[in-house]
Amino acid sequence: MMGKMRKKWVWLIPLIIAIILWEVIAIIINDPSLLPRFSMVIISFYELAIKGYLHPDISMSLYHFGIGLLAAFCVGVPLGILMGWFKKIFILLDPVVELIRPIPPLAWIPLIIAWIGLTHHAAGFIIFIGALFPIMISTYTGIKDTPKVLIDTGKVLGCTTDLKMIRYIALPYSLPSIATGTKMGMGVGWMCVVAAEMFGVSESGLGYRLFSEFYQWNQLDYVIAYMLLIGIIALILDRLFRYFVEDKLFKWKKGIVK
Amino acid sequence: MSRYLVLDKVTKIYDSNNEKVHSLIDISLEVEPNEFLCVIGPSGCGKTTLLRLIAGLDTPTTGKIMLDGMNIDGPSPERGMVFQEFSLFPWRNVLKNVEFGLEILGFENKREIAEHYLSLVGLNKVKNKYPYELSGGMKQRVAIARSIATNPSILLMDEPFGSLDAQTRNIIQDELLKIWEIEKKTVIFVTHSVDEALYLADRIIIMSRSPGRIIEEIKVDVKRPRERTDPTIVKERYRILKLLGVEIKKIANV
Ligand SMILES: Nc1ncnc2c1ncn2[C@@H]1O[C@H](COP(=O)(O)OP(=O)(O)O)[C@@H](O)[C@H]1O
Ligand SMILES: [Mg+2]
């Protein structure tokens, strides 16, 4: 029993060590404009919560994130399916994809502001660019990797059209891969939130607050509190996705990937 | 109802990296309704190709394949196939795998039919399991149930028991014969086991080394249930092994 308990909580050890180190180093440096103490960050966090920043900021960021991720999913999955199934479409689109993919989402900002102005959708677009490619590429990889014998089986059992073969065979086979891509897309998309809110599409949001207020005010403790908050939210999103989506889709894969 | 299958001078040449691979040469063959035909030959001689052509998954380079006088044009649920590799849909449980063809074809009582065929292969009790939870023998039983659920007139089987242990293999052979007798289907069964062919077939076709031609046809006139040590079977076994031995030696000498 003791052993089990210990195993369950070992992840806390490096965390606690890191916090203690941080606190000690901050005390030695003794300059909050370089490194605020951990305890100070916790207090700041509490202050921010009382001032009522957290709720609007988190909701606004999740809103931007939601727009971007939803758009990335709705564009990435169908495009990925088409590219994975129809070789001709792959040959046509692949160069375009590989050209656009390496462009950092940040580089799109001027263009997007010119196109759609300082709106929530502009922030959504940055996140969309970040999340699109992981989703799209995992989708077409999954579709393309569908074992030939499964497709042949489907043909023999009456899947006569491409639509039927995609719907009944390639797509269900690719779902775990699409889920993994979506999870990666969520990760990249969330990382884009700060950048997306930096240029002032809204008067709230984690990125807006962190960059346009806390940083301008030289409140490094607030900045770090929000950095931690961004990390924690990403962690929660990841766990929720794993629990509600991935584990269910991966159930049948046990025998294949272990 | 089973139907009359005719292959007329069928040749298949694959184009692989701009190199022409002759897979089958000049195969002519007639298969009677309800016949149990076994095809045997050295590895790579085109047995899988032959089944794929009949299934409609590939088209002959020259020659014709006809069912009741009609040219075969693409795959159809009237020609079921059990593949050499495991081919269950891993995301569907056993029942849903067997329902697959019925679902595509829009059967309303798909559950009922699927359960009927599952009990025919003795697997109704594992109907909610997923493929990864099944043994090799169970997987192939499910594949058989799935391929006959849509009631094809011809069942194409590509070394379906090749990866099973000897004991499972013997049991499943008897099950297959039982199903064949109940369901009245034409079966074309590819195997590399002479014993298996002699136990199952009405007629055996022996193919040459690649590119495959038919070099011999043997009628197995032994009443079922057969003894694996029946004198006729033992005699034929010797003859087939000799024929195959010559073909395999030819491969070794190339
Ligand atoms: N899709 C294909 N493309 C190119 N060559 C193929 C293809 N399928 C089979 N072949 C070739 O045809 C020959 C017969 O193959 P196959 O029918 O699988 O033999 P068997 O099932 O008797 O072992 C082999 O030489 C093989 O390499
Ligand atoms: Mg083969």
Side-chain angles (χ1 to χ4, degrees):
Chain A
M1 278 313 271
M2 260 322 274
K4 229 183 195 171
M5 284 286 282
R6 238 178 249 162
K7 234 182 214 157
K8 214 177 155 189
W9 297 108
V10 280
W11 60 271
L12 271 174
I13 297 172
L15 203 64
I16 291 168
I17 293 175
I19 288 170
I20 292 172
L21 270 177
W22 173 359
E23 188 76 19
V24 170
I25 293 170
I27 290 171
I28 295 170
I29 292 177
N30 195 21
D31 181 355
S33 66
L34 277 182
L35 183 66
R37 286 158 56 177
F38 175 74
S39 47
M40 205 168 119
V41 170
I42 294 296
I43 294 166
S44 317
F45 198 81
Y46 183 68
E47 277 171 28
L48 290 169
I50 288 185
K51 282 186 189 161
Y53 278 140
L54 299 191
H55 185 252
D57 284 348
I58 292 174
S59 331
M60 183 54 72
S61 288
L62 284 177
Y63 175 58
H64 292 152
F65 175 70
I67 295 175
L69 187 71
L70 188 71
F73 191 82
C74 292
V75 173
V77 171
L79 270 183
I81 291 172
L82 291 176
M83 286 178 76
W85 189 258
F86 299 102
K87 202 160 181 200
K88 282 201 181 113
I89 295 184
F90 180 83
I91 290 168
L92 282 173
L93 291 187
D94 186 52
V96 184
V97 169
E98 289 308 316
L99 185 77
I100 298 177
R101 192 163 71 105
I103 301 172
L106 277 174
W108 285 83
I109 291 176
L111 201 57
I112 289 160
I113 294 178
W115 285 349
I116 39 183
L118 287 172
T119 61
H120 295 305
H121 290 101
F125 197 102
I126 308 291
I127 294 155
F128 162 79
I129 295 283
L132 176 67
F133 294 104
I135 295 177
M136 188 163 133
I137 287 166
S138 314
T139 304
Y140 79 59
T141 311
I143 298 272
K144 213 190 313 203
D145 287 348
T146 310
K148 188 162 176 290
V149 69
L150 297 186
I151 294 169
D152 284 342
T153 302
K155 284 183 184 170
V156 169
L157 290 171
C159 291
T160 42
T161 60
D162 287 308
L163 186 67
K164 278 187 180 157
M165 284 186 260
I166 290 170
R167 168 161 171 220
Y168 288 102
I169 300 159
L171 190 58
Y173 178 83
S174 313
L175 279 185
S177 169
I178 295 174
T180 306
T182 306
K183 204 175 79 172
M184 287 179 348
M186 282 168 69
V188 180
W190 185 247
M191 281 199 266
C192 294
V193 164
V194 172
E197 290 171 348
M198 232 162 58
F199 53 96
V201 297
S202 53
E203 297 292 292
S204 57
L206 296 166
Y208 165 78
R209 198 78 66 191
L210 189 153
F211 204 77
S212 305
E213 294 191 355
F214 302 161
Y215 172 61
Q216 310 295 339
W217 307 338
N218 249 328
Q219 285 272 354
L220 222 48
D221 50 340
Y222 285 3
V223 168
I224 293 177
Y226 261 42
M227 285 169 71
L228 290 178
L229 186 59
I230 289 168
I232 289 166
I233 292 171
L235 186 72
I236 293 171
L237 287 173
D238 184 84
R239 290 298 143 101
L240 286 176
F241 188 80
R242 223 187 267 185
Y243 183 80
F244 285 107
V245 181
E246 221 171 27
D247 282 356
K248 293 197 168 107
L249 291 176
F250 274 105
K251 195 176 153 223
W252 60 263
K253 282 215 110 176
K254 262 184 222 157
I256 301 172
V257 286
K258 283 265 150 46
Chain B
M1 267 294 98
S2 269
R3 303 166 72 178
Y4 200 69
L5 178 76
V6 177
L7 282 78
D8 183 22
K9 297 205 184 68
V10 170
T11 293
K12 178 67 185 177
I13 302 166
Y14 281 110
D15 235 337
S16 138
N17 305 326
N18 296 324
E19 206 185 317
K20 297 214 178 305
V21 181
H22 289 252
S23 183
L24 288 174
I25 291 184
D26 208 19
I27 303 282
S28 289
L29 179 66
E30 292 182 17
V31 189
E32 309 246 341
N34 300 339
E35 184 172 357
F36 202 124
L37 179 79
C38 277
V39 179
I40 200 164
S43 153
C45 76
K47 305 181 294 292
T48 298
T49 306
L50 181 69
L51 291 192
R52 290 180 64 84
L53 291 176
I54 299 172
L57 289 168
D58 282 324
T59 44
T61 310
T62 61
K64 273 191 283 193
I65 304 179
M66 286 167 298
L67 200 54
D68 281 348
M70 298 275 286
N71 261 320
I72 281 177
D73 177 25
S76 148
E78 103 187 314
R79 278 161 278 127
M81 183 147 173
V82 178
F83 292 84
Q84 189 168 5
E85 314 94 301
F86 293 128
S87 63
L88 298 184
F89 300 117
W91 59 90
R92 286 179 168 244
N93 67 20
V94 166
L95 184 66
K96 288 244 159 27
N97 259 282
V98 180
E99 281 178 2
F100 186 89
L102 303 161
E103 190 178 323
I104 302 288
L105 297 175
F107 279 66
E108 267 168 28
N109 49 346
K110 55 178 182 177
R111 165 129 326 166
E112 211 178 306
I113 301 175
E115 284 182 348
H116 166 74
Y117 285 102
L118 269 179
S119 56
L120 207 58
V121 294
L123 286 182
N124 233 327
K125 54 193 178 304
V126 299
K127 66 182 176 194
N128 292 320
K129 294 209 171 191
Y130 279 85
Y132 72 86
E133 299 171 286
L134 305 179
S135 68
M138 285 164 139
K139 282 182 192 159
Q140 289 308 66
R141 283 185 179 92
V142 176
I144 292 172
R146 183 178 62 183
S147 67
I148 57 176
T150 51
N151 196 24
S153 59
I154 296 181
L155 188 55
L156 306 163
M157 306 185 81
D158 192 4
E159 306 194 30
F161 311 146
S163 57
L164 307 183
D165 63 90
Q167 221 155 359
T168 310
R169 207 171 162 138
N170 286 353
I171 296 167
I172 205 168
Q173 284 167 358
D174 283 326
E175 289 175 2
L176 176 65
L177 282 176
K178 190 189 79 191
I179 291 169
W180 171 69
E181 268 155 26
I182 300 172
E183 295 283 321
K184 300 273 174 278
K185 292 188 191 313
T186 308
V187 176
I188 304 180
F189 187 106
V190 165
T191 175
H192 54 241
S193 155
V194 179
D195 291 316
E196 187 167 66
L198 282 165
Y199 188 67
L200 295 173
D202 292 322
R203 184 163 56 124
I204 301 173
I205 279 177
I206 297 160
M207 290 178 58
S208 69
R209 77 193 165 100
S210 179
R213 302 163 202 266
I214 297 176
I215 51 170
E216 182 80 50
E217 251 188 62
I218 291 163
K219 270 214 170 320
V220 188
D221 275 324
V222 183
K223 266 185 58 190
R224 297 186 180 90
R226 290 173 182 169
E227 277 305 325
R228 289 174 201 268
T229 50
D230 182 284
T232 318
I233 286 184
V234 172
K235 203 180 81 207
E236 292 293 355
R237 180 164 175 267
Y238 179 71
R239 194 158 77 92
I240 297 172
L241 283 173
K242 223 164 89 178
L243 275 166
L244 285 174
V246 172
E247 289 305 316
I248 287 162
K249 255 194 213 127
K250 278 190 204 155
I251 295 176
N253 288 340
V254 168

